Amino acid sequence: MKLSELHNGQKGVIVKVMGHGGFRKRIIEMGFVKGKTVEVLLNAPLQDPVKYRIMGYEVSLRRQEAEQIEVVTGEDAARLPDNIVLKGHEDDFLQHQALRERRVIHVALVGNPNCGKTSLFNYASGAHAHVGNYSGVTVDAAEAHASMMGYDFVLTDLPGTYSLSCYSPEELYVRQHLSEKMPDVVINVVDASNLERNLYLTTQLVDMNLRVVCALNMYDEFERRGDSVNLATLSSLFGMPMIPTSFKTGMGVKQLFSAVIQVYEGANKTARHLHINYGHEIEHGIAHIQTYLKADEHIRQHYSTRYLAIKLLEHDSDVLRYVGQHMADEDRPQDRKRLLQARDAAATRVQEETGVDSETAIMDAKYGFINGALRESKYRTGTKKDTYRVTHAIDRIITNRLIGFPIFLLLLFLMFEATFALGDYPAQWIEDAFDWMGQWVTHTMPEGPLKSLIAKGIIGGVGAVMVFLPQILILYTFISFMEDSGYMARAAFIMDKLMHRLGLHGKSFIPMLMGYGCNVPAVMATRTIESRRSRIITMLVLPFMSCQARLPIYITIVGAFFAGQARSLVLISLYVAGLLLMCVVSWVLSHLIMKGEDTPFVMELPPYRFPTTKAIVRHTWEKGKQYLKKMGGVILVASVIVWALSYFPHDYTLSDDDPKQQEQSCMGRMGKAVEPLFRAQGFNWKLDVSLIAGVGAKEIVASTVGVLYAGDSSFADIETFTDDADAPSDGDAPTEGDINSQKLSTLHDLMAADGITPLGAYCYLLFVLIYFPCVATIIAIKNETGSWRWAAIAAIYTTALAWLISAAVYQVGSLF
């Protein structure tokens, strides 16, 4: 807890002191150091400041200063089990608790995209965060715990970022986390094969006056190429220990965390605070701006004033907004005015002296410092360029002007072909298992609502969706391989020209490809797009990417109404329709509604790295677990609700499968009420109800169809076909494929009896493709845009477009 939370007479032992620069130094000099006991004596009449006793003397602190001091108190002793008695050793206990709390180190992982942060996060903690070889995999901060050498580490994996400016959402997110959460130590993960560029971010961490340990990752590749550097000199020049590591093999991980402990405990001789010299004019401007920032106690406590001064000289809009709002809140408009005048005067002097603007001058000075440090450290590059030689050779083929695009389309075709072809076998096994369970319940349980609930609601509903788990796992395996190998970045590179003509960014293609797995992480992945306009347009068209939740619906309806090669053509047509709609809507939004200029295409193309089997299996299994949790959660609940609505009110003079019973149920009445709205598409009330249910999650569409049609007696006959007394003889026994084919044939007959034609079935699939994204996607759009407005637009326009297109296709198709 914080020292400011203690009441009069309470004691606490100091765990750590937070804050920045001169403020932190002054607090420590006053005796507020780790392990010391502090007692609250009294509050001022207005409750601020507060008088404390520490190290034998009395001192007062304001509450906002006391908030920066973390303590443990006697309340911890009160929470001990009754069988533990302190017997007057409370102070010793507090010292022990403070030591234990002191051994919890909060560590933030910061680095460029593709540098290996998430690999370190997974290796050290055993967490299963996804590692992808392109910018923006970590679209949010992930947290995990690790224990080493008697210390507990709380690791936070922050998004990959090239700098700490306000150019992209990731940069702002990382900067705010470092400023507001104030981690004890920052591990700056650096790609050793690209030192000069990666160390630019390191210089910004130096400016923030943070305690940093630098992990020179992929050092095995660095040495293999023959590169060399004097690590002791480089560490000294940057004021932080630099540890060679390779997170693939675990090389240097123990040494890295040992350095973290040393820096945290103040025992590392290399770690020191330093100022990068930006030249006379810039340094003069920084010092002048700092005089106004240091006068504000709140700013001084929470930020390095030197860092803020540098950012103001760089005309950083977010820092300017923060400083301006804070000073306005404090009713000090004159201070804000003088601060801006000081910034403008300094920027003018820099322009006159150097001939460039202050932001460019600071960047040049940073790279000058980096180059000087590398020269001083005798940095040499080797002659063995094995990694990039292979990468360049592959790129000459994969990104070739003539064959690059066909290769990309071929890879997509292979991905979907394997998804359907290979996944059919294990899918059949899962389906047989659910069939067996359904038959067992049907034959052993007495008639009644419980039997119907289990057989048709739970087994029929969940089984209708669970059967597609193999296809989903295969799809994610392919996507994971493309991400981890580095091909995903090339896909964005290949597609940039087309994306640009549509008014999008090349990086928009990465979320779109991820959308084939799930639209929610795809929406979150738009954070990698710097332009807000491009981000919003990408989010609005992402629902046209057929996510894995739609796959069960496609396969079921296509399998029932189409045969042979027509099945593949119809499936491909749905994906093509989604892509065409994405293109048309993107063009309309960017050229007619949300006009504006896009940001330049700047994206790293990392070297190809063959992903490990372990990484791909782990990533695929994580997605599989998410799917299984969904089956046991929202899909199970939804299936039970759909069953209940289709079962009650129940007329016990009718059988469960009688069409009259279904029509007079709550579900039937709902469907009949909305049936006129979908008459133009040729749907019946059962399909209408499934579409309404699919608003929650698209998987529910398949489970609803499964519940409503699996309950039909003629469809249920297929479940017991092999047990029928009139079944064929052994020589003519049907295969599993025959039984599955007969099930789909029976489903076709049932739907045809309800008036559904192949044209109507195709229009139904078009509606499923286009209409309302699931609730989770809508919430993700709201969170990423910060407004319900864009979420509502996405929900309304996709549903309206689905109605218009499906109705048009049905009406035109009916003419032929």
Side-chain angles (χ1 to χ4, degrees), residues 170-182:
E170 287 105 334
E171 293 171 350
L172 275 175
Y173 187 93
V174 172
R175 190 166 78 185
Q176 289 171 357
H177 181 92
L178 296 177
S179 301
E180 296 171 7
K181 301 297 183 182
M182 286 190 264

Side-chain angles (χ1 to χ4, degrees), residues 193 218-227 382-394 396 607-609:
S193 65
M218 297 178 245
Y219 205 78
D220 49 348
E221 293 183 15
F222 176 88
E223 292 181 317
R224 192 161 56 243
R225 288 200 313 268
D227 295 357
T383 57
K384 302 176 183 177
K385 299 296 180 182
D386 55 304
T387 301
Y388 284 98
R389 186 177 69 246
V390 173
T391 292
H392 294 158
I394 296 173
R396 279 193 289 271
Y608 290 102
R609 292 187 175 92

Side-chain angles (χ1 to χ4, degrees), residues 478-503:
F478 273 89
I479 292 177
S480 176
F481 181 85
M482 287 194 289
E483 290 173 348
D484 294 357
S485 65
Y487 182 74
M488 195 74 90
R490 271 70 182 183
F493 175 78
I494 291 168
M495 295 295 293
D496 178 64
K497 188 171 183 179
L498 175 61
M499 293 288 104
H500 187 68
R501 286 181 177 177
L502 298 176

Side-chain angles (χ1 to χ4, degrees), residues 276-349:
I276 296 172
N277 192 311
Y278 292 107
H280 171 71
E281 287 300 332
I282 295 177
E283 288 295 336
H284 182 271
I286 291 172
H288 190 197
I289 294 170
Q290 276 187 281
T291 59
Y292 297 100
L293 295 173
K294 288 180 178 179
D296 188 294
E297 216 163 342
H298 174 84
I299 292 176
R300 192 172 71 246
Q301 290 174 14
H302 290 83
Y303 292 89
S304 162
T305 56
R306 178 178 173 84
Y307 170 74
L308 290 183
I310 292 170
K311 285 298 169 188
L312 286 172
L313 277 174
E314 291 178 337
H315 297 275
D316 188 291
S317 58
D318 187 69
V319 168
L320 181 61
R321 183 167 52 250
Y322 163 74
V323 173
Q325 287 176 347
H326 181 73
M327 288 187 170
D329 291 342
E330 294 294 324
D331 195 25
R332 293 157 49 206
Q334 288 302 116
D335 286 355
R336 181 176 182 272
K337 183 179 179 180
R338 284 194 289 266
L339 174 65
L340 294 180
Q341 288 174 343
R343 189 276 309 270
D344 293 340
T348 301
R349 285 198 304 271

